[in-house]
């Protein structure tokens, strides 16, 4: 059991989703040696397309304005501009490696109309854009010599003074301790949706990157903003949490409560002005008022839409539901909001550099791009755009870096982490990791969900503190328990950041709603909340938007 392996490279990319793959590819194209590691779980397969301003009548300026307006004007403006401009370049990149976008008869790119966009912008290959992009970039990475290692869980970043110099973790197949030394680290670990019991994300996406970045001294921003996907299946059981895209609302699908009434108009929403956060709150309010279905949702009626639009163009959503016995082309689906995208994360600049030397972040683990609300379809564009930028600048930093750390110092760092790792093994206790996971998950669902208030948040902070105090009493008698213990530590840190930021922001904005402060307050809160570790304590600052 007490085996270990070590590796050296120029750039270490942590996360094997589309962001990590794109970052690794760009770094390799810059001439860097690259190792790509990850737990082997990602949500990128659900990416149905990419918001890119490339069609007639659209422009990068229009897209930028959509991003800022949707984000309620607290976005990092440079990051929002980068998304609008860099995403355009990704079309040529994808096509150069063999990606074929769907096109209209006149040769223009076919586009879906995502919720929150002023015009159709989601260019795609049917509904399998994420799957196809993963396949093609993976193949190109192989050609370029990117070394891929998974399933590997990175548990901590290595630092020497103010520089990140690598990472340590474990091979999830057998618990072997692994260490990596490098000149640049890119975090592409995704979000934290699976902290919540009802989520669109696969098991394992629990905020690892947020927690590791925080412990390494990086600043995080906007952690109070958690976007819920409005329309996710609540029945049948096999597909609970699977999203049914809101592009279908824009295409003419209807939402009904259990009385058969359309209700979005009662909340001032119509297809021309709807945002995901507002729709999620409207659906939650209908369910809370007793107008939900027997399975705890509302009805999403797609039956008026063309069969092939659902069964072919949205096949990655249609086929799993059909396999579970639900044909959404014939009967209404029962849906409710599910935890989806954390809009906050590690603070980055236009080069994807964090506030710690040598540490880069891209994709959902990075914050500030979307502000208080994300347009549907921009997650896919973000993975490619910021993955490319992070890979480019991380490689350039690595190739010019003179940061050579003493072998003796490095060995000491790694040995200390190794001893901590093996000390967790074969630990006795009266609790199981599943006990605490369920307790934490339900706490965040009930107290730090779509609707929040001061009393609930204070209660959540108190209960989270108690959960943390119980970590030492978790028994670890196999590899799965050890993995869950590491994840629980990260979940607690990430949850604490979300609660702390939520207690500070006394208003409602975008996806963030405080029932005790239900109005948006631009006079006082056109600001960002930044979290940072100082002298071992989590501290928060209110700062003007950049």
């Amino acid at each position: 059991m007490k085996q270990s392996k070590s590796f050296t490279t120029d750039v270490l990319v942590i996360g094997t989703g589309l962001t990590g793959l794109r970052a690794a590819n760009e770094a390799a194209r810059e001439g860097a040696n690259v190792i790509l590691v990850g737990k082997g779980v990602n949500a990128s397969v659900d990416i149905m397309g990419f918001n890119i301003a490339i069609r007639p009548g659209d422009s990068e300026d229009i897209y930028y304005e959509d991003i800022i307006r949707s984000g309620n004007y607290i976005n990092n403006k440079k990051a929002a501009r980068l998304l609008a401009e860099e995403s355009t370049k990704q079309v040529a990149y994808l096509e150069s490696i063999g990606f074929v976008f769907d096109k209209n008869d006149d040769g223009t790119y076919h586009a879906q109309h995502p919720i929150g966009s002023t015009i159709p912008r989601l260019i795609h290959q049917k509904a399998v854009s994420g799957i196809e992009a993963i396949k093609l970039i993976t193949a190109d990475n192989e050609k370029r010599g990117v070394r891929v290692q998974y399933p590997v869980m990175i548990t901590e970043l290595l630092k020497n003074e103010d520089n990140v110099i690598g990472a340590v973790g474990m091979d999830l197949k057998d618990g072997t301790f692994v260490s990596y030394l490098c000149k640049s680290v890119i975090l592409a670990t995704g979000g934290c949706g699976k902290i919540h019991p009802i989520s669109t994300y696969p098991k394992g996406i629990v905020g690892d990157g947020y927690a590791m970045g925080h412990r390494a001294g990086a600043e995080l921003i906007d952690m109070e903003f958690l976007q819920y996907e409005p329309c996710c299946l609540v029945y049948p059981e096999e597909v609970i949490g699977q999203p049914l895209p809101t592009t279908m609302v824009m295409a003419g699908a209807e939402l009904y409560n259990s009385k058969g009434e359309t209700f979005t108009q009662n909340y001032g929403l119509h297809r021309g002005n709807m945002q995901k956060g507002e729709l999620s709150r409207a659906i939650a309010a209908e369910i809370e008022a007793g107008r939900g279905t027997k399975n705890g949702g509302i009805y999403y009626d797609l039956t008026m839409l063309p069969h092939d639009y659902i069964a072919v163009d949205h096949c990655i959503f249609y086929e799993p539901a059909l396999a579970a016995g639900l044909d959404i082309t014939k009967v209404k689906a029962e849906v409710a909001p599910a935890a989806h995208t954390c809009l906050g994360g590690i603070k980055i600049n236009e080069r994807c550099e964090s506030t710690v030397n040598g540490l880069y972040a891209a994709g959902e683990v990075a914050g500030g791009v979307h502000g208080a609300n994300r347009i549907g379809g921009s997650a896919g564009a973000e993975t490619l755009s910021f993955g490319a930028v992070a890979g480019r600048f991380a490689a350039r930093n690595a190739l010019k870096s003179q940061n050579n750390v003493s072998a003796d110092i490095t060995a000491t760092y790694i040995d200390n982490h190794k001893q901590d790792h093996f000390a967790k093994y074969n630990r006795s206790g009266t609790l199981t990791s599943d006990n605490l996971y369920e307790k934490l998950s339900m706490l965040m669902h009930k107290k730090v969900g779509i609707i929040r208030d001061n009393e609930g948040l204070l209660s959540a902070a108190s209960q989270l503190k108690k959960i943390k105090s119980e970590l030492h009493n978790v028994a670890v008698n196999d590899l799965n328990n050890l993995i869950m213990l590491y994840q629980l530590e990260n979940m607690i840190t990430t949850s604490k950041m979300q609660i702390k930021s939520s207690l500070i922001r006394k208003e409602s904005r975008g996806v963030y709603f405080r029932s005790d402060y239900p109005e948006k307050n631009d006079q006082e809160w056109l600001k960002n909340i930044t979290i940072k570790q100082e002298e071992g304590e989590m501290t928060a600052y209110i700062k003007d938007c950049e």
Side-chain angles (χ1 to χ4, degrees), residues 224-294:
E224 66 271 32
F225 294 107
L226 178 66
Q227 186 170 56
Y228 281 69
E229 185 65 28
C231 302
C232 298
L233 291 168
V234 295
Y235 178 83
E237 184 176 350
E238 298 94 322
V239 287
I240 289 175
Q242 178 189 293
L244 295 180
T246 47
T247 49
M248 294 194 277
V249 172
M250 301 301 288
E254 293 288 356
L255 298 165
Y256 298 95
N257 60 26
S258 60
K259 295 183 177 182
E261 304 164 332
T262 60
F263 59 87
T264 53
Q265 68 278 2
N266 299 334
Y267 299 87
L269 303 180
H270 54 82
R271 288 184 176 89
N273 76 343
M274 202 178 288
Q275 298 283 356
K276 282 191 175 185
E278 296 165 337
L279 181 57
S280 291
R281 285 201 298 277
I283 293 171
E286 287 296 298
I287 296 168
E288 183 69 20
R291 295 186 289 271
T293 67
K294 65 180 181 180

Side-chain angles (χ1 to χ4, degrees), residues 445-460:
H445 176 66
K446 291 179 179 178
K447 304 292 186 182
V448 198
I450 294 176
I451 300 172
R452 307 174 190 179
D453 61 32
N454 194 66
E455 181 181 357
L457 291 167
L458 287 174
S459 173

Side-chain angles (χ1 to χ4, degrees), residues 64-77 370-373 509 520 522 525-528 545-546:
Y64 169 77
E65 290 299 331
D66 278 356
I67 296 166
I68 295 297
R69 185 185 64 257
S70 178
N72 281 250
Y73 302 97
I74 65 165
N75 318 61
N76 178 307
K77 306 305 185 293
H370 304 291
N373 184 73
R509 181 178 298 271
K520 183 167 66 175
D522 284 343
W525 284 106
L526 275 174
K527 297 181 184 297
N528 301 114
C545 300
E546 296 181 1

Side-chain angles (χ1 to χ4, degrees), residues 43 54 138 164 279 336 362 400 439:
I54 198 170
T138 297
V164 169
L279 181 57
K400 73 178 183 181
K439 189 183 294 187

Side-chain angles (χ1 to χ4, degrees), residues 396-411:
R396 292 176 186 178
N397 173 71
L399 293 173
K400 73 178 183 181
S401 176
Q402 301 298 316
N403 179 31
N404 295 312
V405 183
S406 160
D408 290 340
I409 293 174
T410 301

